[in-house]
Amino acid sequence: MYKSTKTPNHKHLWWKEAVFYQIYPASFKDSNADGWGDIPGLISKLPYVRSLGVDVVWLSPMYESPQADMGYDISNYEAVYAPYGTIEDVDELVKACHDLGMKFMLDLVINHTSDQHAWFNESRSSKTNPKRDWYIWRPARYDEKGERIPPTNWRSYFAGNTWTWDETTQEYYLHIYSPSQPDLNWENPECRKAVYASAMHFWLARGIDGFRVDTVNKYSKDTSFPDAPITDPTTWIQAAPQFWCNGPRVHEFIKEMKTTVLDHYHTFDGGPIVTVGELSMAPNPLTVLEYVSAARGELDMVFQFDMVGLGQGKHFDGKYDFLPWELSTLESIVEKWQTFIDDTDSWTTVFSENHDSGRSVSRWGSDDPLWRDKSAKMLTLMQIAQSGTLFLYQGQEIGMVNAPKDWPIEEYKDIEAQNLYKEAIERGDQDRIQRLVHGLQLMGRDNARLPMQWDGSANAGFSAAEKTWMRVHDLYREINVEKQEADAHSVLQFWKKMLRLRKEYSDVFIYGRFELLSERDENLFVFRKIGEGKRNAVACLNFSQNVRMLGSYGSVVENMKVLVSTYGEGLGRELKPFEGRIYVDQ
């Protein structure tokens, strides 16, 4: 366990203290009754978002797209998907955020495009086309029988091989994700310039304040394209992230992006443009530091996915083979990413939900009606007290939970879920099918994409359409914004109070130094925060459905006062089921 007696000394910057709120456009608010959320609907809810204490709105991809992967397959960076609205609507959204004192951030999806992007249409048209090298093309190989096989045995995120045969030019193109998402060739400088112009300059010039940078460590590949070693003997397709993740030129590319584009813009109030990278498959803190060290000048911060991945199985095809987890493992993950910034010029993020994971209450707490709200509040305290920049995902603030377990697989819309289920059916392995369905129920991406639950009216107030793009949760009459706005003891009101408290105690909660106290405790998660000044805090979190005594932790907080308890009181030496409590120095 890492311990340091040094006082934290991190540079204070606006984006470190800001609360970011992620909005998934398809599922937030529909203004025109077509069953899809849209930008005008989002604008109508901005006062609500601001009332939470949010400082930055982060909008997931709203670009023109065939929607094979819910907008992460972009066919035109300089246009908006028609059901979401228009460029003028985005301009209005940016202005509305700024008028409310909030900044606005877009998703930057530039590892790949849609196969319907004009660039790819040109690239695939002939081997001599000027844009041929803007994507990654390779000739076929042939096996001992003389049959054509792909250039490598790499497995895709979404099942199957990472290479697709194109009849027009008789070569394969690379796609880490689906065949409809061909990877751009970042080795080509003209391609990079076009990406910067179309995906970045275009929107920064319209006044946005930053980017969440999708798949940021996947731009640089091993261009020798070797076969991956056999780690799954049941199939010839093998996981190969070591050949397309954290590649040899990735830092060069990110630095170029910053110096040639980002450094030439400012936020609407004159501050630096903010970047947060999606950094999957980077479990080593030293690797992460290379991306977020301020002196290196690459990214401001990144999302690291050890916690979100807790409970996931091994290999890409076994991702949803649920592995029971222990609280001590979660504690060590939090400790790892809280302390890696100590005595460095780097920064970290605090989050437990996004558009690619199950709901935190269903994963780390309990979505049983008896414990649902209590565990949601306890998890709120866990995040509030951690150092770093806080990110909220829509609906998290009202304790939305995973889709009901009795929903059939047909209700799952995500391309990853659909492809993995199809693959399992084709293999005819009933045990595998059951494991997959169970894993998707708990960790699948669709759980976070259910429509926002605004009130108890039809479709949860999300849409007046007869049918919404995705089914609304069965519990929307019990869990919704309107109901919780009127309840002083609701999860929503608790989040609002805690976000205010986090800023009031920023010296401890945002900038403080983390120290784990409950190492190897499978019921209580207890940690100390050492503030920048004389003020310290201790968070005590009961992750069980039973009363737990503070025990030896009682002596740690003996001379401290209770700042907040999720039960509304914090007296005694016992923590009630799923109670969270924060103590501060007298």
Side-chain angles (χ1 to χ4, degrees):
M1 181 168 59
Y2 177 89
K3 291 184 180 180
S4 174
T5 58
K6 292 182 180 180
T7 301
N9 185 29
H10 290 287
K11 184 178 181 180
H12 288 212
L13 294 167
W14 75 262
W15 47 266
K16 294 181 178 181
E17 300 168 19
V19 174
F20 288 66
Y21 186 85
Q22 182 186 0
I23 292 176
Y24 198 71
S27 301
F28 195 63
K29 177 62 178 176
D30 173 19
S31 71
N32 60 359
D34 66 354
W36 283 78
D38 50 48
I39 295 168
L42 192 170
I43 293 172
S44 72
K45 293 296 185 180
L46 283 180
Y48 162 78
V49 174
R50 184 55 174 158
S51 75
L52 300 175
V54 167
D55 302 291
V56 185
V57 171
W58 156 26
L59 183 62
S60 292
M62 78 305 162
Y63 311 97
E64 186 175 283
S65 166
Q67 299 294 322
D69 184 22
M70 290 304 297
Y72 285 90
D73 51 318
I74 297 170
S75 54
N76 187 348
Y77 290 107
E78 300 173 32
V80 175
Y81 180 52
Y84 292 157
T86 65
I87 287 179
E88 290 71 28
D89 288 330
V90 178
D91 289 341
E92 184 180 347
L93 171 59
V94 173
K95 182 179 184 301
C97 285
H98 292 170
D99 287 347
L100 288 169
M102 295 187 292
K103 296 179 177 66
F104 179 76
M105 184 170 77
L106 283 177
D107 243 275
L108 183 62
V109 186
I110 50 179
N111 173 72
H112 49 266
T113 68
S114 165
D115 62 350
Q116 296 182 35
H117 196 291
W119 297 346
F120 188 69
N121 288 336
E122 287 192 52
S123 183
R124 77 192 313 177
S125 65
S126 75
K127 292 181 180 179
T128 59
N129 186 279
K131 291 186 175 62
R132 178 65 172 184
D133 195 43
W134 286 25
Y135 294 84
I136 301 171
W137 296 91
R138 289 295 180 273
R141 296 186 297 175
Y142 293 88
D143 62 18
E144 62 276 4
K145 297 179 181 179
E147 295 179 354
R148 187 185 73 222
I149 59 173
T152 72
N153 65 347
W154 300 355
R155 180 183 177 86
S156 144
Y157 268 98
F158 296 156
N161 190 258
T162 57
W163 298 92
T164 288
W165 179 254
D166 190 70
E167 287 290 342
T168 303
T169 57
Q170 298 287 292
E171 283 193 330
Y172 286 92
Y173 65 87
L174 179 72
H175 51 87
I176 292 174
Y177 295 91
S178 81
S180 61
Q181 295 166 290
D183 280 42
L184 288 159
N185 180 17
W186 276 71
E187 299 290 330
N188 184 305
E190 294 303 314
C191 175
R192 298 201 302 273
K193 289 178 184 177
V195 166
Y196 300 157
S198 189
M200 300 180 73
H201 281 299
F202 181 85
W203 292 103
L204 287 164
R206 304 188 86 88
I208 73 165
D209 304 289
F211 288 110
R212 176 264 189 183
V213 191
D214 184 65
T215 60
V216 72
N217 54 341
K218 298 182 175 67
Y219 304 155
S220 175
K221 277 80 171 176
D222 183 336
T223 55
S224 68
F225 296 104
D227 268 344
I230 305 299
T231 54
D232 181 0
T234 67
T235 175
W236 76 274
I237 304 173
Q238 302 296 314
Q242 66 270 36
F243 299 126
W244 42 256
C245 197
N246 304 307
R249 297 187 66 189
V250 67
H251 295 290
E252 174 190 342
F253 295 151
I254 297 172
K255 286 179 182 177
E256 180 183 85
M257 185 192 311
K258 186 174 190 303
T259 58
T260 62
V261 183
L262 296 169
D263 286 348
H264 298 276
Y265 294 91
H266 294 88
T267 62
F268 81 98
D269 55 1
I273 292 294
V274 65
T275 55
V276 53
E278 181 192 28
L279 202 74
S280 61
M281 291 177 286
N284 187 337
L286 293 178
T287 299
V288 177
L289 282 170
E290 292 181 342
Y291 289 92
V292 296
S293 165
R296 288 177 62 92
E298 296 186 24
L299 301 165
D300 293 321
M301 50 190 163
V302 296
F303 296 125
Q304 204 287 335
F305 294 98
D306 279 3
M307 180 170 169
V308 172
L310 185 60
Q312 291 181 351
K314 299 178 179 179
H315 309 299
F316 286 12
D317 58 335
K319 175 180 176 181
Y320 293 109
D321 285 345
F322 175 66
L323 300 175
W325 55 277
E326 296 180 330
L327 179 60
S328 57
T329 305
L330 185 150
E331 292 171 344
S332 65
I333 288 172
V334 172
E335 179 192 32
K336 176 181 180 180
W337 297 110
Q338 283 286 286
T339 60
F340 97 105
I341 63 172
D342 288 350
D343 308 321
T344 73
D345 64 349
S346 62
W347 196 241
T348 193
T349 55
V350 183
F351 73 104
S352 63
E353 292 190 20
N354 61 26
H355 62 292
D356 281 337
S357 62
R359 290 290 185 174
S360 58
V361 171
S362 298
R363 293 191 66 185
W364 322 124
S366 172
D367 52 20
D368 182 296
L370 183 62
W371 308 118
R372 192 170 59 214
D373 287 3
K374 291 179 173 59
S375 64
K377 292 178 180 180
M378 182 271 293
L379 292 171
T380 301
L381 280 195
M382 181 181 73
Q383 287 189 259
I384 288 298
Q386 287 184 47
S387 299
T389 300
L390 182 64
F391 287 78
L392 267 176
Y393 180 72
Q394 64 182 50
Q396 184 179 355
E397 75 275 13
I398 59 171
M400 284 180 66
V401 296
N402 280 354
K405 290 182 173 58
D406 60 355
W407 278 16
I409 195 69
E410 289 74 22
E411 296 289 354
Y412 289 72
K413 309 299 184 185
D414 176 37
I415 186 173
E416 181 183 40
Q418 292 174 345
N419 286 2
L420 289 173
Y421 186 72
K422 180 181 177 182
E423 181 183 61
I425 292 292
E426 290 173 348
R427 292 189 180 188
D429 186 338
Q430 291 301 314
D431 180 64
R432 179 183 175 84
I433 293 170
Q434 291 179 2
R435 295 197 315 270
L436 175 62
V437 170
H438 174 64
L440 289 173
Q441 288 172 339
L442 189 60
M443 301 177 288
R445 304 198 301 176
D446 285 299
N447 289 300
R449 302 176 181 188
L450 273 61
M452 182 71 177
Q453 294 155 208
W454 293 106
D455 57 41
S457 65
N459 293 326
F462 159 69
S463 172
E466 185 174 331
K467 183 177 177 60
T468 55
W469 82 273
M470 192 171 188
R471 181 173 169 180
V472 173
H473 201 292
D474 298 350
L475 295 177
Y476 72 87
R477 291 185 181 86
E478 297 178 32
I479 306 173
N480 64 66
V481 171
E482 183 180 64
K483 183 177 180 180
Q484 294 192 23
E485 286 275 24
D487 179 1
H489 303 290
S490 67
V491 175
L492 174 61
Q493 298 293 4
F494 189 76
W495 261 110
K496 289 183 178 182
K497 178 182 177 182
M498 291 305 101
L499 289 176
R500 291 194 297 269
L501 199 67
R502 177 174 169 82
K503 291 184 177 180
E504 181 182 345
Y505 285 78
S506 63
D507 59 318
V508 178
F509 296 147
I510 297 176
Y511 293 107
R513 188 182 293 268
F514 179 97
E515 181 184 348
L516 178 64
L517 301 179
S518 57
E519 191 173 24
R520 291 186 293 276
D521 193 317
E522 302 302 341
N523 296 297
L524 300 183
F525 183 10
V526 182
F527 59 89
R528 189 196 329 266
K529 293 300 296 295
I530 301 168
E532 293 176 309
K534 297 181 179 180
R535 190 158 58 176
N536 299 317
V538 173
C540 302
L541 311 169
N542 182 1
F543 271 74
S544 78
Q545 298 178 9
N546 301 304
V547 172
R548 300 290 178 185
M549 300 302 296
L550 277 174
S552 60
Y553 308 124
S555 61
V556 176
V557 300
E558 188 171 2
N559 296 315
M560 306 179 83
K561 67 176 182 180
V562 176
L563 179 66
V564 61
S565 165
T566 56
Y567 273 70
E569 58 184 27
L571 304 177
R573 291 300 189 205
E574 62 181 29
L575 289 173
K576 299 178 180 65
F578 288 112
E579 181 181 3
R581 200 181 292 178
I582 293 180
Y583 293 83
V584 293
D585 289 326
Q586 297 271 15

